[in-house]
Structures are given as structure tokens and as C-alpha cells.
Amino acid sequence: QVQLVELGGGSVQAGGSLRLSCAASGYTYSNYCMGWFRQPPGKGREGLAAIDRDGSTVYADSVKGRFTISKDNAKNTLYLQMDSLKPEDTAMYYCAADPIYWCTVVLGAGAEYNYWGQGTQVTVSS
């Protein structure tokens, strides 16, 4: 059974940094595409970044240059380093996984991912 558990959310002032982690279990971690998504209050889900089996990545324009996705296959853990945070980054953040291919060609809102974590809240104050 695939399980994803996000950690690392919290409250931070604008300009600050947070690092989210997503611990995965129940599947062959290195064979899956993984991504980070968020959903602000009252808005739809937004894709932020994805990382494929070979380590290739893709980012949404809204976070490019500020957020970095990475993974540690030995620890079965996905990370999202978030720097220069803005109040508009306030949202519930989710990690997702799926054995899809070409996940870094186009970054959508995550409909193609079947496995999701429970989410972690990030709040950025001005």
C-alpha cells in the first residue's frame, strides 16, 4: 500500500524559507514520478514541481527560481526547498506519486497522480 507523509509545514514571514519532506513507503520509490502541489484557500490545486526517475525536473513559473524539488532514493524521501516565500504561497501543500512517464514534460494540476499525502499547511505572513 502506497503511503506518503508530508512534514515540514508551518508559519514563516515573507522572505523566509521552509523545507517540506515527503516520506514514501509501500512501493519501489525510484520507479515513480513524484510531484509537489498546493491548494490555497478557496482556490484550485496548482502543480508546483515534479521530478522524474532520472532526476529531471519541471517547475511552475510561479515558483521557478525560488523552490527546489529533490529526492533521496536511499531514504525514499522527496523534498521541496522553498526560499523567498511570499504571502501568496500560503496554501496546503501536498506530495504525490505515480508510475507515470514523462511527468516533467508538462506540469498539470495533478489529475494524473493516483497517490497523495495528507497535506501540510504553509502560512506566509507579510
Side-chain angles (χ1 to χ4, degrees), residues 37-126:
F37 301 82
R38 69 184 178 191
Q39 187 162 16
K43 296 185 178 181
R45 190 170 62 202
E46 174 190 16
L48 302 177
I51 186 165
D52 208 337
R53 297 157 180 78
D54 62 356
S56 60
T57 59
V58 64
Y59 293 92
D61 288 343
S62 59
V63 303
K64 196 174 296 182
R66 299 190 299 124
F67 290 11
T68 303
I69 189 171
S70 62
K71 63 177 181 171
D72 186 331
N73 287 341
K75 296 182 178 180
N76 286 3
T77 302
L78 178 73
Y79 301 99
L80 185 68
Q81 177 67 41
M82 305 187 294
D83 299 318
S84 302
L85 283 162
K86 306 174 182 179
E88 51 264 44
D89 293 318
T90 295
M92 186 70 79
Y93 283 68
Y94 300 89
C95 66
D98 202 275
I100 55 175
Y101 288 89
W102 315 116
C103 61
T104 56
V105 174
V106 177
L107 181 63
E112 64 274 28
Y113 288 81
N114 283 297
Y115 304 104
W116 293 82
Q118 81 289 349
T120 186
Q121 178 68 37
V122 172
T123 302
V124 184
S125 57
S126 57

Side-chain angles (χ1 to χ4, degrees), residues 7-63:
L7 294 172
S11 297
V12 65
Q13 288 193 325
S17 298
L18 284 173
R19 188 174 83 153
L20 306 182
S21 63
C22 172
S25 62
Y27 66 100
T28 305
Y29 179 79
S30 59
N31 288 345
Y32 277 48
C33 279
M34 299 197 72
W36 285 102
F37 301 82
R38 69 184 178 191
Q39 187 162 16
K43 296 185 178 181
R45 190 170 62 202
E46 174 190 16
L48 302 177
I51 186 165
D52 208 337
R53 297 157 180 78
D54 62 356
S56 60
T57 59
V58 64
Y59 293 92
D61 288 343
S62 59
V63 303

